[in-house]
Amino acid sequence: MTEHMESPDILTLGVLNVDIVMELSHKIIGGKIIGEEISLNTGGHGCNQAIGIARRGVSVGILGKLGDDAFATQIKNTLKKEGVSLQLLLDAKSTNTGLGIIMVEKEKQNTYIDFLGANYDMTPEDIDTFEPYIETCRMVVIHLGFSTYPAALRLIELANKYGKTVVVNPSSSTDMKEDLLKKIDYLVLNYAKASSLLDMAIDNLKGARVAANLLLNQIKKAIFVQMDDQGVLVATQEEFTVLDAYSGSELADMSGVTDFFTGVLSAELVKGASLSAAALKAHRAAMICAGKVGVYTAFPTEEEMGV
């Protein structure tokens, strides 16, 4: 790790990848499906969240490991351009940087292929070396996936030790026990993640309300359910609020949408916004993203999101 510097307001942990996004056509020539467009950009849940935070003008540092390869260079260059602090990135020289392949085809679910590589090398011991930064930050934002799970648990433990706000956006494959949920201030879900967490089909507002009601007593402060074009549900012990319902947004590609939502939400909370104001800003930013194909190239600019 580099020499200690001032800690960013937010520290974020999640998978760091380069994303290859290919739009597929309906043409098949010689037994091969023909692609229409392709993009290669920085991605992964950790990067996406950090970029969302940075584009809202809040200082953010990203925790993670990268390989010794060209993909690592691309990720660092992009994050530096976005204003994300790189001081907590570590090198994993024994493996390659993570890679995500996203295949987009009209009127079909996206296909995702992940090579997680250096992400698996992030350990609880690595998190311990960041303790001075955790002690002085204001919030930690975590995408809780299986490749960084042990490191994430240690980060949550240290954040609780120093009384820092913990925001968690779990993957659909993550098992979350009650003792873990009780350490989380804000839980961010979408339909897929809520369905997986509770092992029940959730695809509408009624289901989102049921999910929030079942989980709310286990969370410190609030649950946000990002419901795509049906709005966002903000659930606290005092009230359930639905914002931006039936916004009429056209959905082209949901890749990275919940990550960017989580980043913007976290930044707005650190800036002092109310839960509803932060959720509304985050949801509208997410819907701009959802209206375009791709991940990084679909993220709205600071100007598009407004003040």
Side-chain angles (χ1 to χ4, degrees):
M1 191 172 71
T2 59
E3 182 180 351
H4 180 65
M5 300 169 64
E6 183 178 354
S7 178
D9 286 327
I10 299 179
L11 301 180
T12 183
L13 173 69
V15 168
L16 313 180
N17 285 345
V18 163
D19 285 339
I20 299 175
V21 181
M22 179 179 291
E23 296 179 60
L24 303 179
S25 71
H26 293 296
K27 298 176 183 177
I28 300 177
I29 300 176
K32 298 178 181 179
I33 299 173
I34 304 302
E36 288 187 336
E37 298 286 344
I38 191 168
S39 64
L40 192 152
N41 290 290
T42 292
H45 306 291
C47 292
N48 298 341
Q49 291 176 166
I51 292 167
I53 294 165
R55 290 195 181 182
R56 294 306 300 158
V58 175
S59 61
V60 55
I62 191 163
L63 286 63
K65 280 192 173 179
L66 299 171
D68 184 16
D69 52 33
F71 288 150
T73 301
Q74 178 170 350
I75 289 173
K76 290 176 183 178
N77 288 343
T78 300
L79 293 175
K80 184 177 180 180
K81 181 184 73 173
E82 292 286 347
V84 177
S85 173
L86 308 183
Q87 58 186 308
L88 305 183
L89 283 180
L90 301 176
D91 295 325
K93 298 187 182 300
S94 61
T95 188
N96 292 105
T97 299
L99 178 67
I101 300 173
I102 305 169
M103 290 183 286
V104 181
E105 191 171 1
K106 289 180 181 178
E107 300 178 359
K108 291 187 178 182
Q109 291 289 327
N110 290 356
T111 299
Y112 297 90
I113 303 170
D114 280 343
F115 168 75
L116 293 169
N119 293 290
Y120 277 120
D121 285 3
M122 195 70 180
T123 67
E125 291 73 27
D126 292 325
I127 298 298
D128 286 337
T129 67
F130 303 142
E131 187 166 353
Y133 297 88
I134 299 165
E135 183 179 4
T136 53
C137 76
R138 297 174 62 187
M139 175 186 284
V140 298
V141 179
I142 299 167
H143 179 269
L144 192 61
F146 61 89
S147 64
T148 56
Y149 193 82
L153 295 185
R154 181 57 178 159
L155 179 55
I156 292 170
E157 183 179 344
L158 288 175
N160 277 217
K161 174 182 175 180
Y162 293 111
K164 306 303 176 181
T165 300
V166 176
V167 180
V168 170
N169 165 28
S171 76
S172 299
S173 59
T174 301
D175 184 24
M176 299 186 70
K177 305 294 186 183
E178 184 175 350
D179 60 341
L180 173 57
L181 290 167
K182 288 181 176 179
K183 299 175 182 178
I184 296 168
D185 294 281
Y186 299 114
L187 182 65
V188 180
L189 303 172
N190 57 22
Y191 285 145
K193 293 172 184 181
S195 298
S196 176
L197 194 57
L198 294 169
D199 194 24
M200 58 189 289
I202 298 169
D203 59 6
N204 55 37
L205 174 58
K206 182 178 179 180
R209 287 181 179 274
V210 170
N213 193 55
L214 290 172
L215 293 168
L216 196 52
N217 287 335
Q218 301 172 59
I219 298 295
K220 289 183 181 180
K221 294 182 180 178
I223 295 173
F224 300 88
V225 185
Q226 199 285 109
M227 302 183 295
D228 303 334
D229 59 340
Q230 296 179 41
V232 56
L233 172 67
V234 182
T236 69
Q237 292 291 350
E238 291 73 31
E239 62 181 352
F240 282 29
T241 305
V242 180
L243 303 164
D244 233 15
Y246 301 101
S247 59
S249 302
E250 295 208 4
L251 308 181
D253 183 3
M254 301 308 296
S255 307
V257 168
T258 304
D259 297 336
F260 200 78
F261 173 93
T262 303
V264 173
L265 173 77
S266 301
E268 294 303 306
L269 292 174
V270 160
K271 291 196 289 186
S274 67
L275 299 185
S276 291
L280 185 60
K281 176 67 73 175
H283 183 258
R284 290 184 175 174
M287 289 301 92
I288 295 172
C289 176
K292 306 173 187 176
V293 173
V295 185
Y296 179 68
T297 54
F299 292 156
T301 64
E302 188 174 0
E303 291 74 20
E304 287 177 308
M305 288 185 281
V307 178

